[in-house]
Amino acid sequence: MPQPSKDPLHGKRLDTILEELVEYYNGFEKLGEQINIKCFTDNPSISSSLKFLRKTDWARAKVESLYLYVLRQKKRDEAKGEN
């Protein structure tokens, strides 16, 4: 039986990642402050951002990196709440 992947991005769809980031940052405005790319700052939407991210590797890498950071922050926040 194969071991489950330890990569938190494994099996995660880009649209799910983007939606979670928009929710975490309470909208595109704050997300655009974290990653200053036009698809987040100029008339943003999930669908237009996905089109851009799917064909722009460097931007997708930034989004994935921010998502990993947010996952770590959520884990820290949960650990603080349990103490």
Side-chain angles (χ1 to χ4, degrees), residues 9-54:
L9 295 175
H10 180 78
K12 274 286 191 182
R13 293 171 43 113
L14 183 57
D15 58 343
T16 305
I17 291 171
L18 185 56
E19 288 167 358
E20 287 184 34
L21 287 174
V22 170
E23 182 181 330
Y24 183 82
Y25 286 105
N26 297 314
F28 277 103
E29 185 177 336
K30 296 288 184 191
L31 180 56
E33 291 173 7
Q34 298 298 314
I35 303 174
N36 187 15
I37 52 179
K38 194 173 181 179
C39 70
F40 295 158
T41 60
D42 185 28
N43 197 19
S45 72
I46 295 289
S47 63
S48 66
S49 297
L50 285 172
K51 285 178 191 173
F52 177 75
L53 294 172
R54 285 185 176 127

Side-chain angles (χ1 to χ4, degrees), residues 48-72:
S48 66
S49 297
L50 285 172
K51 285 178 191 173
F52 177 75
L53 294 172
R54 285 185 176 127
K55 59 184 176 182
T56 314
D57 291 339
W58 64 264
R60 183 179 182 142
K62 285 186 176 215
V63 168
E64 290 174 345
S65 177
L66 180 63
Y67 180 72
L68 293 174
Y69 171 78
V70 166
L71 288 179
R72 287 191 303 271

